[in-house]
Amino acid sequence: MAIVEVKVPQLSESVAEATLLQWKKKPGEAVAMDEILIEIETDKVVLEVPAPAAGVMAEHVVADGGTVVSDQVIARIDTEGKAGAAAVPAAAPAAAAPAAAAAAPAATGGSKGDVAMPAAAKILAEKGLQASDVAGSGKDGRVTKGDALAAGAKPAAAVAAPVAAPVNAAVAKPLPAVAAPVVQKLSDRPEQRVPMSRLRARIAERLVQSQSTNAILTTFNEVNMAPVMDMRKRFQDKFEKEHGVKIGFMSFFVKAAVHALKKFPILNASVDGNDIVYHGYFDIGIAVGSPRGLVVPILRNADQMSFADIEKKIAEFGQKAKDGKLGLEDLTGGTFSISNGGTFGSMLSTPIINPPQSAILGVHATKDRAMVENGQVVVRPINYLAMSYDHRIIDGREAVLGLVAMKEALEDPARLLFNI
């Protein structure tokens, strides 16, 4: 027997520990070289762990849901073994919650090769289901978070922690298996307790930190999007033919933001103790929704990017977020952020600053509205802009003028060419 250890990849310095999601290979199953064995969730990204060698999965040292650190051994592969050999049972993770360890055997991937998205895998584990038990609606048949939420739970007898039978079975419906103890309610008002993912817990921590440490104030303005829409319509076909990507509105917002940040550098600065750090570069964070929650990948040196570069990178980030493939390098840093609630139909919002940044731009849905121009009521496509800023270092003057500079750049895109 020749054993090869499977270890946790090197985590970044800011990540102390991570959580194993769902093993894709059971002990005794054949493993191919570089085949993805499991995904590991940190508070920032989901990392894939490939097989370091071909052979047979000998054992899981840490079960699904276990808490691990960099370079920790989580499994062993027998490079000389044969598939179907007696399997060594998975060791219960010492640092994992009891409920997570109990749910682990039921959450192991089935033999059909079904694949669950990271968020879906956790939900399936909590329900005591396998990926093969659910029909996936995602790409290549992947089980999405929506599929997992809609999936019914296995009978209560299959749950490791027994649930007391209801007094009136005709009235009460069985609750799904969850990570925490469940109390059956007779009034048909079930509740489910689900632990936060590491990413969701980290988002919560950072938002509370932002609210408690920054003196957040928000300034608003409205922008007539007709010039941008006309330019976009005029060049859309040629742009797509030349660059292989459609031109969206976000590239205009990014360019307008960089234009304003150059005029008012304090908007691109950050606070470090009693110091103000002025950044001589423009790394723009773009808030993107993903199955695991909100993530903010970074457009690095956005001032040096063309419209096509921005659109391609945003499309790449969107696909990576959907597939859970964003890496630490995609999410680290950033000097200013843009949040587009308009994608979901938002008319107005007050975005929260992403620490340690000092300002964030919120853009919204563009709608036709009645406006007064030269004493006449006209209809214009209007977008409401909102910029939240840290009043500790940014005064109202710079914030308001910065947002006006963005407005003017969008209402007269030629300004971006001449930097005026």
Side-chain angles (χ1 to χ4, degrees):
M1 177 182 293
I3 297 296
V4 173
E5 294 179 333
V6 180
K7 296 183 178 181
V8 175
Q10 185 65 43
L11 305 176
S12 69
E13 294 181 2
S14 61
V15 178
E17 58 185 21
T19 300
L20 297 188
L21 293 183
Q22 181 181 11
W23 283 104
K24 302 180 184 299
K25 289 291 182 178
K26 298 178 182 178
E29 292 185 337
V31 173
M33 179 73 172
D34 292 329
E35 182 177 7
I36 301 303
L37 300 179
I38 195 168
E39 293 170 327
I40 299 179
E41 182 185 50
T42 73
D43 58 12
K44 295 181 179 179
V45 297
V46 171
L47 306 173
E48 293 181 332
V49 180
V56 171
M57 179 64 73
E59 65 171 322
H60 296 162
V61 178
V62 183
D64 294 358
T67 299
V68 294
V69 297
S70 294
D71 295 324
Q72 181 176 340
V73 177
I74 55 176
R76 294 185 175 89
I77 296 173
D78 182 359
T79 59
E80 298 177 356
K82 295 183 179 180
V88 179
T108 305
S111 60
K112 294 182 180 180
D114 301 76
V115 178
M117 299 295 288
K122 292 182 70 66
I123 295 172
L124 291 179
E126 291 152 4
K127 290 187 175 185
L129 295 174
Q130 300 178 5
S132 58
D133 296 329
V134 181
S137 62
K139 183 179 179 181
D140 299 327
R142 287 193 172 204
V143 178
T144 67
K145 181 178 180 180
D147 298 331
L149 288 171
K154 286 188 175 180
V159 183
V163 178
V167 176
N168 188 346
V171 175
K173 296 180 181 179
L175 288 173
V178 295
V182 175
V183 177
Q184 187 75 44
K185 299 199 174 185
L186 302 182
S187 58
D188 195 21
R189 287 162 53 85
E191 292 181 350
Q192 183 178 10
R193 185 182 298 272
V194 179
M196 286 188 186
S197 66
R198 283 186 179 272
L199 175 61
R200 174 53 57 189
R202 180 58 171 164
I203 290 173
E205 177 187 343
R206 288 179 64 82
L207 291 180
V208 171
Q209 173 194 352
S210 180
Q211 293 278 42
S212 63
T213 59
N214 297 328
I216 300 178
L217 200 60
T218 304
T219 184
F220 304 91
N221 214 317
E222 58 188 14
V223 56
N224 177 6
M225 293 294 292
V228 168
M229 295 173 72
D230 291 343
M231 179 178 288
R232 181 172 176 264
K233 182 178 181 181
R234 180 182 175 188
F235 293 105
Q236 180 69 278
D237 292 341
K238 292 181 180 179
F239 186 92
E240 186 174 0
K241 183 177 180 180
E242 179 70 22
H243 300 290
V245 64
K246 292 183 178 181
I247 185 170
F249 292 113
M250 185 55 75
S251 52
F252 285 94
F253 290 124
V254 170
K255 285 291 187 181
V258 171
H259 172 76
L261 298 182
K262 286 182 177 180
K263 285 180 172 291
F264 303 96
I266 190 65
L267 301 179
N268 197 48
S270 59
V271 176
D272 184 10
N274 291 325
D275 297 331
I276 300 175
V277 181
Y278 289 88
H279 305 291
Y281 49 90
F282 303 87
D283 289 354
I284 309 298
I286 305 296
V288 176
S290 76
R292 299 177 57 242
L294 182 70
V295 290
V296 188
I298 309 298
L299 294 173
R300 304 199 184 280
N301 299 312
D303 58 315
Q304 301 174 27
M305 300 177 73
S306 66
F307 279 80
D309 293 334
I310 293 172
E311 292 295 345
K312 289 177 181 178
K313 200 65 179 178
I314 290 175
E316 177 187 328
F317 285 152
Q319 189 60 50
K320 280 187 172 182
K322 181 180 178 181
D323 297 339
K325 302 291 187 182
L326 285 170
L328 289 173
E329 66 280 1
D330 296 321
L331 303 169
T332 304
T335 60
F336 184 86
S337 293
I338 301 177
S339 175
N340 186 5
T343 302
F344 309 104
S346 173
M347 183 187 76
L348 197 62
S349 67
T350 54
I352 298 179
I353 298 170
N354 184 23
Q357 298 168 25
S358 296
I360 179 173
L361 173 67
V363 299
H364 305 90
T366 299
K367 299 290 185 181
D368 285 345
R369 305 189 189 282
M371 307 296 293
V372 178
E373 293 182 0
N374 300 320
Q376 300 294 320
V377 177
V378 295
V379 176
R380 296 287 184 260
I382 299 298
N383 193 306
Y384 294 128
L385 303 181
M387 188 170 72
S388 295
Y389 58 98
D390 188 350
H391 211 352
R392 292 181 300 168
I393 65 169
I394 302 174
D395 292 330
R397 175 184 180 276
E398 284 74 19
V400 171
L401 291 178
L403 192 58
V404 168
M406 297 179 200
K407 166 188 168 71
E408 292 176 343
L410 292 167
E411 292 184 337
D412 187 4
R415 289 173 175 268
L416 299 175
L417 297 176
F418 300 107
N419 194 29
I420 56 177

